[in-house]
Structures are given as structure tokens and as C-alpha cells.
Amino acid sequence: MVPVHGSTAPPARATRPPSRTGRAGPTRRGLLRAAAGGATAALLGAGCSAGGGDRDHITWAIGLDPVGGPHFQRAAQEFMDRNPGVTIELTPAPNGDLNAWLVTRLAADRAPDIVNMGVSAVGRYTTNGGTVDIRDQLPDGFLDHYQPSLRALVEKDGGVFGIPHETNCAATYYRTDILRRIGVEPRNDLERAWTAEEIREIAVEAKRVTGAYGLSWGYINESSGNRWLPVLYMFGGSLFREDGRTPAIGDPEGIDALEWTRRLYADELIPASNTVKASQEDTAFSLFTTGQVGLMIHESQFRSLKDVIPDEDWSVDHLFRERGAATNLSGSVNVVTRSSRNPELAAEFLAFASAPERILARVRESGAIAPYTGVTARDVGYAYRPDLVQRFIDQLSTVPPQMAREQAGPDYQAIRQLLGDFLDLMFIGSASARETADAIAEGLRNVRN
């Protein structure tokens, strides 16, 4: 397998891409080879011809953090250099409520040409017409090597309504110093991961060592109740039946999942400051890094730990499992909005910016997970703890297909909110597992009907 390091820019071409007929996307081996030597020509097959006025100006709203920002700026500059007369403007995406910001701009027909949004928002804008189909601007097979769960978010009725940007999922962090004191060895094996009951037992012992709590959970705000869903699915439950409309959370498997979680809070293995609504972005990490817990369920965010806690004091194992394995699906997608005056040009730039050599160079530095299947941590060449990144990559294979389908729905953000509302009542002791299941089921019926 070809290592993925660096890129060589291909020459620009003067014309727009021809029709998609006969144009093929890269094979998996070609994807890695292209990422090592420059894939833009293979993926895009062309530059663009200038239009007129504002049609040559593309705006891209995306988080401009210190790691990702320079990569996005380089992609924009390279595209402009190859296409004189075209300007690409990067504008920071809002840190707060993306929906309020974007809905207002779409209503005024003044949204950016391209917007980077979380995976849970894509279904809403695909369904309500806020995004446009960019299929004809992509080579055949462009999405073939993306994670199936991510493809399900952007493919609809034969169209393509975005390009996955990066992905993430949850696994189990542990304090090596605390596990050593309680005599527990990590499994480091996806098929032999700790069970739900074993993770509870470890949390009980960790609480005895810390004198505080045993476990923290990666809730980050009041809308992050969906981060509980892997528990539901690993217990064999689901939000809906196969018809996608009838709630199933009240089934015995759903009650078991809720009761297992309720006990974690009732026994003070997770603190009351770490419920869905009480948690801030850094709550779970703070509990972990300060030694108040021995375990943490969270996504791959190594940069939050790198300079705070010594490497030898923490590591990552796969997410625990019960009747099966599961994890959540996180990440972001870039979409072309209906406000774009030149959606063809916007889509061409987006394909250019999404070429493998650019995606992999960025995630190599940031520690994020590339949206492709079959690409290992070694292929990417992560500099910091690549063995742990690989565990998250392996864990992605356990995203339940039904959960991914539900996440692609237009009402998923409303579902996230109601999960947070009713799970929180259970976490603080105001509702039983049965009452919580009934309340969530009624909310799901209202959302879907």
C-alpha cells in the first residue's frame, strides 16, 4: 500500500468538465496513490471557465481553526491561481446556532455558496431545498470510497447533495494510572471489547480510587442527546421500527438500555454536572484530565489531551458492547446552497478542495478521521498516537445502518433535542426508564407524524 505523504499539483485545464458519462472516480489504491502524488486532476478533471460578475465569486463558510484554516486557504488560493478571474472567499461559520444563521440567510437568498455543517443537519437542508444537487459536477464513482454511513447522508433520489468533510465516532478513553491500580487490562480488540456490565464494574472500582466518580460521557451541549444512542443500539434496540415511523424505544431492549444508563447516574458513577443539558464542551474532558474519573466515553479529540495530561497516563480502547457493537456517527459535510449564483462553479471548487491529498493532509495534522473506507492510520501518516486513531477508524465499522438512516432524516435535529430533554429528566432522577421511554416515544410520534 502506498504511504500517503505530500502532494504534487497537476496542471490546470481551461475548460469545464464534460458530462459525467464515462468519467470514473478513483479506485481505493488510486485514491491513496493520488493522495501521495496529487489527485486533483484525476478527481476534478478540469478547472473552470470564467463567468460574469458575482458568478465568479464563491463564498465558503467553514470553521477556520488554526489547523484547518491554513489548509482551506491553500486550496482556495490554488484554485484561484488555476482559474484567473475567480475569487474564493472563506468566511467563518458561526460557533453558535448554525440553523438560525443559515435559515435567515437562505430566506433572504444571501447564504454563502458553500456551507460546512454537522452531519445531523444535512438531512434537514437536503429535504427542504436548502442545498442543490452537485452530482453532475463530480466524476462517476467520486463517493465510492467514502464511508457508507456518510454517503447515506448526502445521496438522495439519485442526486448528491454534499461532500463529506471528515468524520468521528465514540470510543472508550481510560486513565492508565487508575486502571493499573484496580488491576484491569485493556482489551484493544473490537470483537472482545468490554461489555456494558464490565464497563460499569470498572467504573465502580475507578470511583473507589478517584474518591469522586468513575466515568464521564461526551455530551457537549443540550442538543447532544444523540451521543447516548450507541447504548440503545448495542442493547439491540432502536428509535424506530423498520417503517421509520413507529417508535421502538419502548421495546424491552430499549428499556434495558435506558435502565443501564439510569443506574450510572443513580449510583453517582457519572456526576450530575455531566448530564446532557448540564454539560459544556469540555465537561467530560475536564473530569478525565483532573483524575475525577477513570473512564471517558468520547470522540477522537486528542488535541484536547495532548498538552494537558502526559501520554503515558491515558489511552483509548474500543467502545464497550452488549448484544452487539455500536458507536455514534459524527463529523461534517460541505454543501452547495440554493443561494449560489453559480452552483456549478461552487461544486467544482468543492470537488477540488475535497481531493484526497487535501483531505488527508489536513486530517494528518488535525488528528481528525478521514471520511473514506479502507484508509488506515498508517496510510494517513498521523504523527501523534496513530495506534489510537486506528481504534477510532476500526470503531466506525460499528455504526448501525439503521441509526445512520435515521440520522439522514429531515427531523433528526428535533430528535436530538427531545432525546436531551427526556434523558436529562431520567439522569437527574425525575423519571424511570419506562417513563423516559414513553415520553421519548410520544415525542418521536409527534416528530414523524
Side-chain angles (χ1 to χ4, degrees):
M1 189 173 292
V2 180
V4 182
H5 296 288
S7 65
T8 302
R13 298 172 67 176
T15 59
R16 292 276 177 103
S19 69
R20 298 175 76 254
T21 305
R23 292 167 62 205
T27 63
R28 176 179 176 278
R29 180 176 295 177
L31 183 149
L32 293 176
R33 184 182 296 116
T40 304
L43 283 172
L44 186 55
C48 67
S49 58
D54 289 342
R55 289 176 57 82
D56 292 339
H57 182 77
I58 299 299
T59 53
W60 184 11
I62 190 167
L64 299 176
D65 61 86
V67 175
H71 287 275
F72 308 143
Q73 291 162 354
R74 280 194 292 273
Q77 189 61 55
E78 288 176 20
F79 192 81
M80 290 188 290
D81 290 345
R82 298 172 190 198
N83 299 280
V86 171
T87 57
I88 307 295
E89 177 187 354
L90 303 184
T91 182
N95 291 325
D97 190 345
L98 173 71
N99 285 321
W101 176 85
L102 184 54
V103 166
T104 300
R105 281 155 180 76
L106 286 170
D109 200 25
R110 296 185 64 83
D113 296 88
I114 301 170
V115 173
N116 179 266
M117 62 177 59
V119 294
S120 64
V122 177
R124 172 180 181 174
Y125 293 99
T126 299
T127 302
N128 70 15
T131 61
V132 300
D133 182 3
I134 60 174
R135 178 180 183 273
D136 287 340
Q137 278 66 55
L138 302 179
D140 288 319
F142 185 90
L143 295 180
D144 283 357
H145 295 288
Y146 282 76
Q147 293 280 349
S149 52
L150 294 173
R151 290 183 60 178
L153 294 173
V154 299
E155 293 182 326
K156 181 183 178 184
D157 300 331
V160 175
F161 292 84
I163 299 178
H165 183 67
E166 64 184 25
T167 189
N168 213 328
C169 68
T172 304
Y173 291 75
Y174 60 89
R175 295 274 309 222
T176 53
D177 51 346
I178 292 176
L179 259 63
R180 193 178 303 115
R181 288 181 63 182
I182 62 180
V184 173
E185 292 290 331
R187 299 281 173 78
N188 298 330
D189 184 336
L190 186 62
E191 300 301 321
R192 296 181 54 255
W194 289 317
T195 66
E197 193 53 40
E198 286 173 330
I199 207 80
R200 174 185 166 77
E201 292 170 358
I202 296 169
V204 168
E205 294 301 318
K207 178 179 171 69
R208 292 196 179 107
V209 171
T210 66
Y213 308 101
L215 172 70
S216 66
W217 207 282
Y219 302 120
I220 56 173
N221 56 44
E222 64 181 12
S223 297
S224 59
N226 59 309
R227 294 192 175 198
W228 171 79
L229 287 177
V231 178
L232 175 63
Y233 286 86
M234 70 174 62
F235 271 79
S238 62
L239 282 177
F240 295 99
R241 303 204 189 285
E242 286 297 326
D243 63 8
R245 302 183 67 84
T246 306
I249 193 167
D251 291 351
E253 296 84 359
I255 300 299
D256 288 348
L258 288 165
E259 177 61 18
W260 178 85
T261 314
R262 186 196 66 79
R263 290 172 58 211
L264 294 177
Y265 286 91
D267 295 343
E268 297 185 344
L269 298 177
I270 302 178
S273 61
N274 190 200
T275 67
V276 179
K277 293 191 173 185
S279 295
Q280 304 296 317
E281 190 166 355
D282 64 347
T283 298
F285 277 111
S286 178
L287 290 163
F288 185 75
T289 57
T290 57
Q292 297 180 69
V293 299
L295 301 168
M296 176 175 69
I297 308 303
H298 218 309
E299 297 179 350
S300 172
Q301 297 181 13
F302 294 169
R303 283 190 297 154
S304 300
L305 297 175
K306 184 176 180 181
D307 299 322
V308 178
I309 180 173
D311 288 358
E312 62 270 19
D313 285 351
W314 67 276
S315 191
V316 174
D317 206 341
H318 300 100
L319 192 60
F320 59 93
R321 56 190 297 151
E322 188 53 31
R323 295 164 195 167
T327 191
N328 68 312
L329 176 65
S330 188
S332 66
V333 172
N334 289 305
V335 301
V336 177
T337 73
R338 69 171 182 236
S339 295
S340 179
R341 298 293 181 268
N342 195 338
E344 295 83 8
L345 175 59
E348 288 172 16
F349 167 66
L350 182 52
F352 179 93
S354 301
E357 77 270 23
R358 295 188 177 84
I359 294 290
L360 297 179
R362 178 177 55 78
V363 301
R364 181 184 307 129
E365 185 176 349
S366 70
I369 300 175
Y372 311 118
T373 59
V375 175
T376 68
R378 183 177 181 181
D379 294 331
V380 176
Y382 291 100
Y384 184 61
R385 308 201 73 168
D387 56 325
L388 303 189
V389 179
Q390 185 60 48
R391 287 179 193 147
F392 284 95
I393 294 173
D394 294 341
Q395 190 72 59
L396 276 169
S397 66
T398 69
V399 173
Q402 183 174 350
M403 188 176 76
R405 290 194 300 271
E406 291 164 356
Q407 192 162 346
D411 49 18
Y412 189 70
Q413 289 182 305
I415 291 172
R416 290 175 61 187
Q417 189 65 48
L418 73 88
L419 284 171
D421 290 343
F422 296 118
L423 287 173
D424 242 51
L425 289 174
M426 184 182 73
F427 294 164
I428 64 174
S430 296
S432 67
R434 177 77 265 174
E435 290 168 336
T436 302
D438 290 344
I440 292 174
E442 182 61 24
L444 295 176
R445 277 189 287 271
N446 293 335
V447 165
R448 285 287 160 99
N449 299 310

